[in-house]
Amino acid sequence: DFNPDVARVPRERLGENWARMPLDSSVTVETAVVSRDGETIPVEILVAPFEEQGQRLFVAVGRDISERKAAEAARRRDELRFQAVFEGAPIGLVLIDDAGKIVAANPAIEWMLEAEPKSLIGKTLADLTHDTELQWGLRELIELRRGLREHVIAETRYRGPSGKIVWGQLSAFRYRDPETDEHRIVAFIEDISARKRIEDQRREMFERLDELVAQRTA
């Protein structure tokens, strides 16, 4: 009368299913009931058989799970929002687990390093860091994973699977995944190769000017 899911099952088949349930068993289902004013309420119902005076009876314990369902829906919305931001971010983004392995990489970082989709999964940032740059930022990332610091900012060179080398500005922070209760690192990597080229050109220009001034002075 107040549960649409049960109402759709023929009474004969429902009775047969219940009759086959062992007395020491129970079943828990999530369904919905309709209240007197027509409101649909999500509920969790536990059904268990028992016998009394030779008669087979069932007890059903229902629990209103509206708040839990609302929290799950909110969490799904947050996950979808995060996924949209993660996938559509114009700068490189990677998620790193507590062992230092990359568990997710967005298209921007794959494009920046000329990497195939999903090919960065399972690698570490050390695997992608140029050999001459390994001393920069990696020690800080280890401290970040251990909770010894809140964030890391570093500029270093990265080498993609194809051999492409780019300068990147790393900005990383640690957070706790509410789903698994595990700590992870979100790392933003912005391609600053163009800026580095300008800085190199400016430095070379000033070095040349210093040489010319020294020659003129001599």
Side-chain angles (χ1 to χ4, degrees):
D1 294 332
F2 57 85
N3 185 294
D5 291 338
V6 173
R8 283 191 289 267
V9 180
R11 290 180 180 269
E12 297 79 12
R13 197 177 78 190
L14 191 63
E16 292 173 0
N17 291 338
W18 285 7
R20 288 196 295 266
M21 286 184 64
L23 290 177
D24 59 349
S25 68
S26 66
V27 61
T28 301
V29 297
E30 290 186 6
T31 181
V33 296
V34 180
S35 67
R36 188 179 304 173
D37 58 4
E39 179 185 3
T40 300
I41 303 171
V43 294
E44 180 183 81
I45 297 180
L46 180 145
V47 180
F50 68 100
E51 285 188 356
E52 183 173 309
Q53 297 179 355
Q55 185 179 11
R56 187 177 180 87
L57 302 174
F58 291 84
V59 59
V61 181
R63 182 165 64 94
D64 187 340
I65 56 174
S66 301
E67 291 185 3
R68 192 186 81 192
K69 285 296 184 181
E72 290 175 354
R75 186 167 60 251
R76 282 195 299 270
R77 287 195 298 271
D78 289 343
E79 290 172 352
L80 291 174
R81 190 180 299 115
F82 175 80
Q83 188 69 22
V85 172
F86 185 83
E87 295 290 338
I91 65 174
L93 269 172
V94 294
L95 294 182
I96 303 171
D97 65 16
D98 211 26
K101 302 288 186 180
I102 295 175
V103 295
N106 75 339
I109 188 69
E110 294 171 343
W111 179 85
M112 185 172 75
L113 297 177
E114 294 182 349
E116 294 293 328
K118 310 298 183 183
S119 64
L120 301 181
I121 306 302
K123 296 183 180 299
T124 68
L125 283 184
D127 296 331
L128 305 177
T129 302
H130 194 279
D131 295 344
T132 59
E133 308 286 340
L134 286 173
Q135 72 274 22
W136 300 107
L138 295 182
R139 178 175 58 83
E140 288 81 359
L141 280 173
I142 293 174
E143 293 176 353
L144 182 65
R145 293 208 317 266
R146 294 175 178 173
L148 301 178
R149 59 171 62 220
E150 294 182 357
H151 65 276
V152 170
I153 297 177
E155 292 184 1
T156 186
R157 285 185 296 174
Y158 296 96
R159 186 196 301 272
S162 67
K164 179 182 179 181
I165 298 174
V166 299
W167 270 101
Q169 177 172 286
L170 170 73
S171 178
F173 65 91
R174 187 171 183 255
Y175 81 104
R176 185 180 63 82
D177 189 329
E179 286 288 323
T180 63
D181 204 35
E182 297 176 349
H183 284 93
R184 293 187 175 182
I185 291 175
V186 179
F188 299 81
I189 302 177
E190 182 180 3
D191 188 346
I192 57 172
S193 300
R195 194 191 82 194
K196 282 294 185 180
R197 283 194 296 269
I198 294 173
E199 290 176 356
D200 290 342
Q201 292 170 0
R202 184 184 296 118
R203 184 176 59 256
E204 292 173 359
M205 180 184 68
F206 281 117
E207 289 175 354
R208 180 58 179 159
L209 284 174
D210 288 341
E211 292 177 2
L212 292 175
V213 169
Q215 293 174 7
R216 184 176 181 84
T217 301

